Amino acid sequence: MTPGARVAAAIEILNTMSDGLPAEQALTRWGRGNRFAGSKDRAAIRDHVFDVLRQRKTAIHLGGGESGRALMIGILRAQEADLDSLFNGVGHAPQPLTDAEQEPSTDADDETLWNLPDWLLPQFKASLGTRAKTVAFALQARAPITLRVHTGKTTPSAAAVALAEQGVETRANPLAETALTVTDGERKIRNSDSYLEGFVELQDASSQAVVTAMPRAGRILDYCAGGGGKSLALAVDPAAQVTAHDIDPRRMQDLPARAARAGCSIRQIETDDLQNEAPFDVVLCDAPCSGSGAWRRSPEGKWTLSASRLEELTQLQDGILDAAIALTAKNGCLVYATCSVLACENEDRINAFLERHPDWALGFQKRFDANDDGDGFFTAHLRRN
């Protein structure tokens, strides 16, 4: 496909999303209906769509509207692309820009450039203070691709050398000793020997840092395991007995294959069996949240999040922490984590927990801002007095 044809495809997909169809479904539907598109074409089209979602306000402002065509004009204008070469009507490219579309837009104000929902801006600024603008702009960029090195099988330096020989270039990541950020060859990762043989696993560096900060323990429960990334990282410790649980077991369906590739043993447990297995030395609650620290990976989330949904999430987070008390050993550690940068889901939840349970104390707390090294994360360690 030509660059213009890729833009036309992105316009088509964005139009199908106007009625609420999620991006992944829209991309999949387009791919099934256009099987002539190669992997590089699909990747480029996906990048266009996600660039729009990350900077939707800017795209609307610079494109003069919310249609797929206007959004693509806006985002390409923001990227200083040559619009005339992409919108030339040749082959499958979009038709040339009209006189109205050629009109330069006025400069956008700061709130437009931040690309966040209006209702969330005050809370976002209050949560991050002087770092708010930097983080808001970081969330508009494409997320780094980061690998976790399985230190039971190799070292980070040896893994970097092996990956380079397989066409994947990396750099050390300062957030975690096990983390390597991919700088080139990301599409070769899943077919590389290093990945297939379990020497490396895809995992954000901030997520790795959350695991690294956890106390070493024998029996560990990953209470809200999801896909199991943190369970896999914890299971690298040969002294750890890791149990993974999720209220929706379907989220863990890929975990057995991933654990087998890594050579790790992770037990999965149903909700009804938790009390019989408790207590655990460490209980990790990687709670459902707004995902605001990872919005560059799932940018739809910032536009679909509402104030009422955020309130529901904070109530859910409180309930998860309270339920985890009964699962934590007397001298154990309750670890709370989110991939959120909002104080209402982080520090406020810890403070509320300590007010409800004065016999508990905070031992460790850390924020990770979204930046070139990793996603936005938060973690806190709680212990009984």
Side-chain angles (χ1 to χ4, degrees), residues 1-8 48 85-86 93-94:
M1 297 176 67
T2 65
R6 291 171 174 176
V7 169
H48 282 321
S85 69
L86 296 170

Side-chain angles (χ1 to χ4, degrees), residues 38-175:
S39 60
K40 290 184 179 180
D41 295 323
R42 293 193 299 273
I45 293 164
R46 179 186 177 86
D47 284 345
H48 282 321
V49 171
F50 274 74
D51 284 346
V52 167
L53 292 175
R54 292 186 188 100
Q55 301 182 62
R56 183 175 174 84
K57 275 190 172 182
T58 296
I60 291 172
H61 178 79
L62 295 180
E66 298 187 46
S67 67
R69 180 179 171 90
L71 290 170
M72 279 307 303
I73 290 172
I75 198 63
L76 291 169
R77 186 168 276 151
Q79 295 169 354
E80 300 183 349
D82 181 0
L83 292 177
D84 290 336
S85 69
L86 296 170
F87 290 76
N88 57 21
V90 176
H92 297 284
Q95 291 300 306
L97 269 60
T98 64
D99 290 342
E101 291 171 336
Q102 292 279 6
E103 286 294 321
S105 302
T106 58
D107 292 338
D109 58 26
D110 278 349
E111 292 191 350
T112 296
L113 294 174
W114 282 40
N115 281 291
L116 291 169
D118 292 340
W119 69 268
L120 187 62
L121 268 171
Q123 192 167 158
F124 192 90
K125 292 178 178 179
S127 297
L128 290 153
T130 57
R131 307 187 316 281
K133 184 174 183 178
T134 299
V135 174
F137 276 77
L139 291 173
Q140 299 176 37
R142 295 174 188 176
I145 305 299
T146 309
L147 301 170
R148 176 179 53 78
V149 177
H150 189 324
T151 52
K153 292 188 172 189
T154 187
T155 64
S157 58
V161 171
L163 285 162
E165 291 173 351
Q166 298 157 43
V168 182
E169 298 292 336
T170 61
R171 65 169 174 84
N173 187 300
L175 293 179

Side-chain angles (χ1 to χ4, degrees), residues 333-350:
C333 183
L334 174 53
V335 178
Y336 178 72
T338 72
C339 57
S340 173
V341 297
L342 303 177
C344 67
E345 297 185 281
N346 296 331
E347 293 90 349
D348 292 355
R349 301 282 53 80
I350 298 302

